[in-house]
Every structure is written in C-alpha cells, then in structure tokens.
Amino acid sequence: MGHPFPIREIARQAGLSEATVDRVLNGRGGVRESTAREVHRAIADLDRQRTQVRLVGRTFMVDIVAQAPERFTTAVRAALEAELPALHPAVVRSRFHFRETGPVRELVGTLDRIARRGSQGVILKAPDVPEVTAAVGRLAAAGVPVVTLVTDLPTSGRVGYVGIDNRAAGATAAYLMGQWLGDRPGNVLTSLSSGFFRNEEEREMGFRSVMRARQPQRALVEITEGQGLDATQYDLVRAALDRDPEIRAVYSIGGGNDATLRAFADLGRDCAVFVAHDLDHDNTRLLREHRLSAVLHHDLRHDLREACHEVMRFHGALPPAGPVLPSAIQVVTPYNMPTG
C-alpha cells in the first residue's frame, strides 16, 4: 500500500520490528494476519496524527456571505458558532456579511472587497445570476475558495456545495401534500422568495414533477419575489387568495410563513396542509402551535462543518476527500421536533 511514512516510524507506532513491517508492506509472507492488521492500523493512526499536526496552530479566516431573511442568517450564525469548538485544533474565525435583500451590485461589491482584502475562504448563499458567478470567479483567481451553502452556483468557480438535494426535497413535499390532501378538492399555493435562487427553483421543479404524476387534477398557483419577508409576502399571498378561492394548501419554498398564515386568517380561509422549510425560530414556533403540518429540515451545523472542512482541504490542512454528499432531509412534525 502507498504511504508517506518511513518503515522505522511505522515500526515504532506499531511496536514491531522494522523487518516485520517490511515483510508486511512488501507482501513477503511469514507474518500472522493479526500482525499485518497492526501494521495497517499504525499507518492509519500516523495519517490521522499527521492531519492533527497540520491543523495545530492554523487559523482560518472565513467570510460568510448570505442574502436571506434575518431568521435564516441568525440560524446560520448560531450553527457555525456551535461548530467552532469541534474544528479544533484548527481555529476558525468568521466574518459575517448578511443582507435580507438589495441590488446584486451590492452583493458583488462585498465579494470583490473580500477578494481584494484576502480570506481563507467564503461560504456563500447567493442568487444564481451572471454577476455573482463572475465575482466567484474573481475570488477563485485571487486564491480564495468559495463553498456554496443551501443553494448552488454550479457554473461558477466554487470548490463545493453543501446542503440538501433540493429537487428531492420538493418531491418529498409533494408526496406529503398528496398523502394529507387525499381526494379533497383544492389548489396548492407554491411560494418562492425569488426566482433567482437555484435551490428554490429545484425544489419547485421536484414538487411540480411529483404533483403532476400523483395528483394531476390539482392546480398549482405560484407566487414569487416576496424575498421571504413578511411585509411583501402578505400582499402576494392575499392577492393570490383573492384571485383563486380554491387554494386550500401551501408549499412554502421561500419562507414568510407567518405572513402567509395571517393572509389566510384575515380572509377567513382555512389552510388544510402547510409544508415549509427549515426550523428557524418562526417555523419552530408555528410548528409547536400546529399551524404548520411539517417542516423539511436539514442540519445546518453539519453543513457549516462540511463547508469549513472544504476550505481546510483547499489549503492542504486536511487530506483530499470525495464529493460532499447531500445533507439528510428530515421531515419534522409537531410530534418529533428536535430538542434544543
């Protein structure tokens, strides 16, 4: 097996003679299977310890840039800060650049300032538009790795994506919606914060595909550009309800769920099924109050831990690894809410 360690170092780690280690590594025989396992285990131990040595004393300054409602960015900040102790012996320091909405040029300006100032990495949640893709390219050219969070920029120069399989999440929402609505009549409101976030587009495609296959008779009514903000979301939902008296359920892809429920209540309308995303502080409260049917959730701490590991791998502080697998999609109801 290939390895970077001298036979003497492996022998010392395994507590065996150099001759025995040499026989195992070169397949010469005459060695018990248990002894061979000790040699391979010693090599694995040395490799792990080498990784720890590379991390000791290393400080990584990471910039987290996100366009999202405050309830989501608050969850991101809390998840990253909760993970920082687990990243030792490396030290990760973070700078946060959060905005709820605004012109793309301002977001691009933030990314360009980071490229000029320098950073060990950027964790980015941003709309998939050409200006942002170009800014990611400039960060890459400056030697700053970008990891996309929750929503991807697949044609950019990012080094990786962390988050769920968004198309599968949308399909899961459609499955739940069909199960709970059954044969009852009614149309479904699908709500996106913006048509420029790839994760929302993929969720919507997954949802439509399964609804078309399983409940083709049910109309889907789409609203978008509420930015997940209550003020704009309320007006959009109220207008949709005024136009379509048959809306009976909601798949909320982009948030603003308090405002959506308020619009239903103000018109005296019942929402039979409401599926949302993310256990932020608003959705946690609404779920406890049984005002949401289910929340599709994923572990933000896991995502941010993987994002930091991607940054460390870029800088050679962790060994290479395969592609990051999508985060698990958790279906959370009022009866199986995580503690804490």
Side-chain angles (χ1 to χ4, degrees), residues 57-175:
R58 293 288 297 272
T59 298
F60 299 88
M61 178 61 76
V62 177
D63 289 89
I64 296 84
V65 183
Q67 179 174 313
E70 178 273 336
R71 59 182 173 270
F72 181 79
T73 55
T74 296
V76 168
R77 184 192 295 267
L80 178 61
E81 291 176 348
E83 276 302 303
L84 293 181
L87 297 171
H88 289 170
V91 175
V92 175
R93 297 175 57 197
S94 52
R95 295 181 291 225
F96 296 96
H97 313 267
F98 293 155
R99 50 186 249 141
E100 290 197 311
T101 187
V104 170
R105 67 176 180 275
E106 293 180 4
L107 178 60
V108 168
T110 298
L111 297 175
D112 284 341
R113 283 193 295 275
I114 293 170
R116 290 192 299 270
R117 183 186 59 208
S119 175
Q120 271 72 56
V122 171
I123 300 171
L124 176 63
K125 179 186 183 295
D128 186 7
V129 295
E131 299 91 332
V132 173
T133 296
V136 171
R138 292 191 289 274
L139 281 162
V144 179
V146 176
V147 181
T148 51
L149 173 69
V150 176
T151 183
D152 201 8
L153 302 169
T155 62
S156 71
R158 55 87 166 141
V159 299
Y161 161 73
V162 293
I164 59 174
D165 179 333
N166 285 293
R167 192 180 289 262
T172 301
Y175 173 77

Side-chain angles (χ1 to χ4, degrees), residues 86-275:
L87 297 171
H88 289 170
V91 175
V92 175
R93 297 175 57 197
S94 52
R95 295 181 291 225
F96 296 96
H97 313 267
F98 293 155
R99 50 186 249 141
E100 290 197 311
T101 187
V104 170
R105 67 176 180 275
E106 293 180 4
L107 178 60
V108 168
T110 298
L111 297 175
D112 284 341
R113 283 193 295 275
I114 293 170
R116 290 192 299 270
R117 183 186 59 208
S119 175
Q120 271 72 56
V122 171
I123 300 171
L124 176 63
K125 179 186 183 295
D128 186 7
V129 295
E131 299 91 332
V132 173
T133 296
V136 171
R138 292 191 289 274
L139 281 162
V144 179
V146 176
V147 181
T148 51
L149 173 69
V150 176
T151 183
D152 201 8
L153 302 169
T155 62
S156 71
R158 55 87 166 141
V159 299
Y161 161 73
V162 293
I164 59 174
D165 179 333
N166 285 293
R167 192 180 289 262
T172 301
Y175 173 77
L176 296 173
M177 186 70 68
Q179 290 292 105
W180 284 331
L181 282 177
D183 295 328
R184 286 180 290 173
N187 298 334
V188 179
L189 182 70
T190 61
S191 170
L192 293 82
S193 72
S194 171
F196 294 106
F197 285 100
R198 180 170 287 267
N199 66 325
E200 296 192 15
E201 179 184 55
E202 291 176 344
R203 290 173 187 177
E204 195 268 345
M205 287 190 292
F207 185 79
R208 276 188 185 276
S209 175
V210 173
M211 289 296 288
R212 190 182 303 118
R214 296 176 65 90
Q215 296 206 324
Q217 79 287 356
R218 204 177 294 283
L220 305 182
V221 180
E222 180 182 309
I223 59 172
T224 188
E225 303 310 319
Q227 306 301 323
L229 305 177
D230 284 347
T232 48
Q233 182 73 6
Y234 178 87
D235 292 338
L236 288 169
V237 174
R238 178 133 187 179
L241 293 176
D242 283 336
R243 289 192 303 269
D244 189 338
E246 300 304 315
I247 293 174
R248 296 284 184 273
V250 174
Y251 173 38
S252 174
I253 299 171
N257 301 324
D258 234 337
T260 297
L261 288 164
R262 186 156 36 89
F264 271 86
D266 287 352
L267 291 172
R269 300 269 289 273
D270 178 51
C271 183
V273 180
F274 197 132
V275 180

Side-chain angles (χ1 to χ4, degrees), residues 1-22 24-25 35-47:
M1 61 181 293
H3 60 85
F5 307 109
I7 288 176
R8 180 178 302 170
E9 190 173 356
I10 298 169
R12 185 165 58 244
Q13 179 73 24
L16 299 169
S17 70
E18 293 181 29
T20 298
V21 171
D22 183 69
V24 171
L25 295 180
T35 301
R37 283 199 300 270
E38 288 179 22
V39 170
H40 296 313
R41 188 161 48 243
I43 292 171
D45 290 343
L46 286 170
D47 192 56

